[in-house]
Amino acid sequence: MAEPLPPKERVKIPRQAMPEQDADARARNFDEVNLGLEVVAAQCEAQRCLTCADPKCVKGCPVGVKVRDFVELVLAGDFLGAASKIREDNVLPAVTGRVCPQENQCEGACIMGKRFDSLAIGNLERFVADYERESGQVALPQRAPLTGKKVAIVGSGPAGLSCAGDLCLRGHDVTVFEALHEIGGVLLYGIPEFRLPKDIVRQEIDNMRAMGIEFQTNVVVGKTVTIDELMQEEGFDAVFVATGAGLPRFLDIPGEHLGGVYSANEFLTRVNLMKAYDSSHYDSPIYQCRDRHVAVIGGGNTAMDSVRSAMRLGAGKASIIYRRSMDEMPARQEEVHHAQDEGVQFLDLHNPVEFIGDEQGILKSVRLVKMALGEPDESGRRRPVAIEGSEFEMPLDVAIVAVGTGANPLVQSTTPDMKTNRWGYIQADEESLRTSKVGVFAGGDIVSGAATVILAMGAGRTAASSIDEYLQTGVWETDSAAAES
């Protein structure tokens, strides 16, 4: 057991660096980049925690993980206890420890960060989750007595899984319906193996099965079965819609139909879920990247995932084309730095205006225009403005468009009494996540638009609490102003 130090001594301890694969080696394999903290480094990092009386980090966490408590357990050497403490609020600790943007949430709220490097909360969360998994001693939370109430969860992404976990612990009978052939949603199809190994996701799903949650795959709610059929014919007392925002957006420029032009959704799904990177064992079709110039249009985390995947598929040159400057890029800084270290080239302040093909309809080049930054837009970032007369053509073999997603429309299309907004997202009360349809709740990206894994999980927890209240009371009330917005 490590002995706690006085606060003045704790702040002198440097933040412990995350070990990672060598950049040149990892740029050509799909093995995980970050290697995880060793025990000594984890306890050294835990020693840095100031054990605040009013821990701001907890308030900065969308699912309310009791950070101070679990970090104290790490310092005491009770790593399994620390993992159990996290699981009280987070059913996917090994996932969020890897992909959550802690720098904007728990770590961003850490008071250490005002003068020093903030506590590495995400790295510690990953450490204890990995320790627990490798020990084979996963301590699942105690489930409440069964209530006899049935809840359907539509979608097995982070919002759906988080909601399912909380409802199961409250004693309800929970079934998760997934449209694809494997459970995990965006955790499986959207995030590359080198950031989130899929075996880790599958282990977390197995833990949820052990809790008593039922999972059904290849069920497209809205096509295979409707919301009304789930409630009226299959006896579900409530439904939580967590289908995500999986409808890809394009640039609406000439040439997007050409061979070699992908949406990031399709590209990453083929690579991640269908294992196109492992051609020796899988036959998933994917446009050849090897020794070719691959460019990804966009500057978010999905763009980084796409371009780094292309690099690992053997791209001779992998580029990011982004219409704003590097300072405005919304991707996590860690992902940007990893991409730079791996050899990705960044062409900022440029925007495609046309994809150009050859006689066979295959992409051969892209016409770009140079951009300048104007006045701030509604996002607070300076608006990119095209520079007149700056267009030029650049040879290109593969283009991946990663400029955001829209609402998945399937559930809404067959549930006419569930209100949506003008963009097709489901309208839900901000506090309760109740929709205009009695007994139906919605949350995550299908309500908010594309966001982070942990924010979706926070929505899932909010929905679970609201669903539990509804199942206990039978009272259905929504904020009329929200329902009409």
Side-chain angles (χ1 to χ4, degrees), residues 346-367:
F346 286 75
L347 191 63
D348 62 344
L349 290 170
H350 285 74
N351 201 37
V353 293
E354 181 183 8
F355 293 117
I356 300 168
D358 61 17
E359 296 80 5
Q360 285 75 43
I362 303 299
L363 178 68
K364 68 174 185 178
S365 64
V366 59
R367 183 171 296 280

Side-chain angles (χ1 to χ4, degrees), residues 153-161 163 240-245 426 441-446:
I153 308 290
V154 185
S156 70
L161 294 176
C163 184
F240 177 53
V241 182
T243 49
I426 297 173
F441 301 72
D445 292 2
I446 193 58

